[in-house]
Amino acid sequence: MRSAVHTVYGDPAEVLHLADMPKPEPGPKQVRVRTVLAAIHNHDLWTVRGGYGYKPPLPAIAGSEAVGIVDALGEGVDEKLLGKRVASASVRGAWAEYFVAPAAGLLPVPDAINDEAAAQLIAMPFSAIMLLDYLNVQPGDWIAQNTANGAVGKMVAALAQSRGVNAINLVRRDEGVAELSALGIANAVSTAEPGWKKKVRALVGEAPLKAGVDSIGGTATQDMAEILSENGLLVSFGSMTGEPMQVSSGTMIFKQLTLKGFWLTPISAAMAPEKRQGLMGELLKHVIGGTLKLSTEAIIDLADIKQAVSRSLTPGRTGKVLLRP
């Protein structure tokens, strides 16, 4: 089967290539899925670089989320799943014509959701709603996030608004403010604008800014810490720059801030199944209703994996880059 493979860890645009790999066979409680579309996520690219929390044995087929049709069942799997259109995330080897997934982790896709949305339905949207839940904020509370015009940022902003949570949505370009406003996302602030921290405080007023999400790293972490209120929660969600987080001990000490990291895999695994299902139901409602828009930047053939990776890394993207095997 056609697959996007890497035999070493490194720059995804250099080490990924098209290769012919054996079609996988499902084991007990697994299914095989014929891929329709697969998403390119930042964590996929960090995995190829060798810098993520999981390092696959090499050679490895990249990719972790896709939508497709169940075409083979392992032992102990309900026969009704055969032929179903499903979404699956946190799998290995999704950038191929076929992949294997645990049957228990499949999400049957409603007819109201098209393939482009279904291919990116779980990882980023579920991260967004789990992240919002992780902040432990209530209606009327204030939070802040940077990279608010990224895929997860837009989802966090939309979900926060739907829950009555106020969000300061930081972007690094002035154009990002207009982009978010066009989507109906309020309280967008460009960090390229002089005096942007004063603008944040003016928006929040006397209310405490309880939590902040940093997805950039480097000096942006200190910026986030400075706008938080006393006893605020600072969450590291990622590192767009790849730089270590920089935050002064004085800010942490005198504001009595709490710094935590967010990784979906263990947090989701520790969550009660009923709560996880409830959050997923909330997501589906927002996607079908149009509150949560899962946009697509481009659909690129798997053979052009290097082009697809480069497109995914291009600044100013307005949607997800998808692969067609």
Side-chain angles (χ1 to χ4, degrees):
M1 64 176 184
R2 298 201 318 164
S3 311
V5 174
H6 60 109
T7 57
V8 296
Y9 297 111
D11 182 347
E14 294 180 3
V15 303
L16 283 169
H17 60 278
L18 191 70
D20 188 31
M21 299 292 282
K23 185 187 295 186
E25 294 298 330
K29 298 184 179 180
Q30 293 182 327
V31 302
R32 185 175 66 207
V33 179
R34 176 174 57 79
T35 310
V36 175
L37 290 173
I40 298 179
H41 296 305
N42 285 337
H43 62 258
D44 296 323
L45 303 181
W46 277 109
T47 301
V48 174
R49 294 183 185 107
Y52 199 57
Y54 161 74
K55 293 182 73 171
L58 300 174
I61 303 172
S64 61
E65 181 173 18
V67 62
I69 307 299
V70 176
D71 90 319
L73 307 176
E75 182 183 347
V77 178
D78 188 344
E79 293 183 359
K80 293 178 182 177
L81 279 175
L82 196 62
K84 293 287 187 183
R85 186 173 66 122
V86 296
S88 186
S90 299
V91 297
R92 300 174 186 175
W95 296 355
E97 290 183 285
Y98 297 88
F99 65 92
V100 167
L106 298 176
L107 178 66
V109 181
D111 291 341
I113 298 177
N114 63 29
D115 288 337
E116 292 182 24
Q120 50 183 309
L121 185 57
I122 302 176
M124 294 298 100
F126 199 55
S127 290
I129 200 166
M130 287 282 285
L131 177 59
L132 192 57
D133 190 73
Y134 189 70
L135 299 181
N136 194 30
V137 288
Q138 306 302 318
D141 287 344
W142 283 89
I143 64 172
Q145 61 165 341
N146 52 30
T147 66
N149 55 338
V152 172
K154 291 175 183 174
M155 295 174 198
V156 168
L159 290 168
Q161 285 186 188
S162 74
R163 290 183 168 195
V165 174
N166 303 300
I168 296 293
N169 298 299
L170 302 176
V171 295
R172 296 193 292 174
R173 299 174 294 111
D174 292 343
E175 296 83 357
V177 174
E179 179 186 338
L180 292 182
S181 296
L183 295 173
I185 295 173
N187 303 321
V189 176
S190 170
T191 57
E193 179 183 342
W196 67 268
K197 291 177 186 175
K198 291 182 179 178
K199 185 172 183 179
V200 168
R201 183 41 57 189
L203 287 168
V204 176
E206 297 299 318
L209 213 170
K210 290 190 172 183
V213 180
D214 172 35
S215 300
I216 299 177
T219 59
T221 309
Q222 176 65 23
D223 287 335
M224 184 63 74
E226 288 179 3
I227 65 174
L228 289 178
S229 299
E230 287 187 14
N231 300 304
L233 171 64
L234 175 55
V235 174
S236 175
F237 183 73
S239 177
M240 178 181 288
T241 61
E243 298 175 7
M245 300 168 65
Q246 298 178 34
V247 59
S248 76
S249 57
T251 305
M252 293 296 298
I253 292 169
F254 299 122
K255 284 194 168 186
Q256 301 180 73
L257 300 179
T258 299
L259 174 62
K260 300 176 76 173
F262 178 93
W263 186 16
L264 177 65
T265 301
I267 293 172
S268 177
M271 180 175 282
E274 298 79 13
K275 184 171 184 179
R276 194 161 55 244
Q277 291 168 7
L279 291 175
M280 185 55 72
E282 183 180 347
L283 276 180
L284 290 175
K285 180 186 71 175
H286 286 305
V287 173
I288 293 172
T291 307
L292 207 57
K293 296 177 175 61
L294 304 180
S295 55
T296 300
E297 171 79 9
I299 299 175
I300 298 176
D301 190 272
L302 191 64
D304 298 317
I305 183 61
K306 296 180 186 296
Q307 174 195 337
V309 167
S310 297
R311 185 75 174 270
S312 183
L313 292 170
T314 301
R317 273 192 303 108
T318 57
K320 187 65 66 177
V321 175
L322 305 179
L323 293 168
R324 190 186 302 280

